[in-house]
Amino acid sequence: MSTGTLLAIIIPVVVVVAALVALGWYTARRRRLRERFGPEYERTVEDAGSQSAADRELSAREKRHDALDIKPLSPSARDRYAHDWQKVQGEFVDHPEDAVQEADLLVTSLMRERGYPTDNLTQKLQDLSVEHGRTVEHYRAAHDVNERSRRHTASTEQLRGAMVHYRALFDELLSDGGPRHART
């Protein structure tokens, strides 16, 4: 067999193998991002306009998140936050709007102590989505109701739902790096 014939066979085979390897890598990456980000993946695809753009966005979030100094809470800090949550939750019966606003402040304080930046809502949501992709939507929903409650346009049922949403993220943030907080 001549060198030209061998090259005519080898080059297309190498190109096909390289394409299959690249496709496999992209597919595995997309699957990993979908699993890690959960519902946040589809939201990002919708916002970004394509899966490739969403994949780039979520990978950038991961890199940013990896640069953060996210740390677990000490047992005493976990106990303090759990106690503070009980107080906020108890306030809901008599002052639901105040309780929702305090729940937002408590979640923000917990995020800050864990090492998450808390200055910008969009950045907070993006940073949280990396490790808390399945509960970040709870935070979005609760924050929206909190904004309505500041204008006194949220119903008591919406406020109750916001407390449930805040609690989902609160429990997840509280338990990371330590024993799961027992619900009371």
Side-chain angles (χ1 to χ4, degrees):
M1 211 182 271
S2 73
T3 305
T5 306
L6 280 174
L7 287 176
I9 294 170
I10 293 173
I11 290 174
V13 168
V14 169
V15 169
V16 168
V17 168
L20 290 173
V21 167
L23 179 64
W25 182 81
Y26 282 114
T27 302
R29 176 179 168 220
R30 183 164 289 153
R31 185 178 322 115
R32 183 188 61 76
L33 288 170
R34 257 199 176 109
E35 288 170 6
R36 181 168 198 180
F37 285 90
E40 185 68 10
Y41 182 86
E42 294 306 324
R43 173 185 267 281
T44 306
V45 168
E46 208 171 286
D47 291 346
S50 74
Q51 284 187 320
S52 330
D55 291 352
R56 285 189 302 276
E57 163 66 25
L58 295 173
S59 292
R61 287 185 196 182
E62 287 179 321
K63 285 179 185 161
R64 176 182 157 74
H65 184 273
D66 289 347
L68 299 175
D69 184 22
I70 306 300
K71 52 197 168 291
L73 295 172
S74 68
S76 63
R78 272 195 308 277
D79 291 344
R80 184 183 76 238
Y81 277 106
H83 179 263
D84 290 349
W85 180 264
Q86 292 303 317
K87 285 178 21 187
V88 168
Q89 195 169 300
E91 184 180 335
F92 184 81
V93 173
D94 294 327
H95 306 284
E97 285 181 339
D98 293 341
V100 167
Q101 290 174 20
E102 290 199 22
D104 183 72
L105 292 172
L106 188 59
V107 166
T108 299
S109 175
L110 176 55
M111 288 171 58
R112 188 177 305 111
E113 189 161 339
R114 291 283 318 277
Y116 288 97
T118 58
D119 297 333
N120 175 294
L121 177 63
T122 301
Q123 195 61 59
K124 270 197 282 192
L125 292 167
Q126 289 176 354
D127 291 340
L128 281 171
S129 72
V130 176
E131 291 295 326
H132 307 283
R134 302 202 186 287
T135 54
V136 73
E137 191 57 37
H138 287 287
Y139 186 62
R140 266 192 194 94
H143 185 77
D144 287 347
V145 172
N146 186 33
E147 290 301 311
R148 279 187 259 140
S149 84
R150 290 175 193 266
R151 295 184 307 272
H152 308 291
T153 60
S155 70
T156 303
E157 186 58 27
Q158 289 170 326
L159 295 169
R160 186 198 65 73
M163 290 296 288
V164 170
H165 289 309
Y166 278 127
R167 180 64 184 250
L169 179 59
F170 180 84
D171 278 349
E172 208 171 280
L173 287 168
L174 192 67
S175 68
D176 278 356
R180 187 90 178 144
H181 172 66
R183 289 193 172 206
T184 55

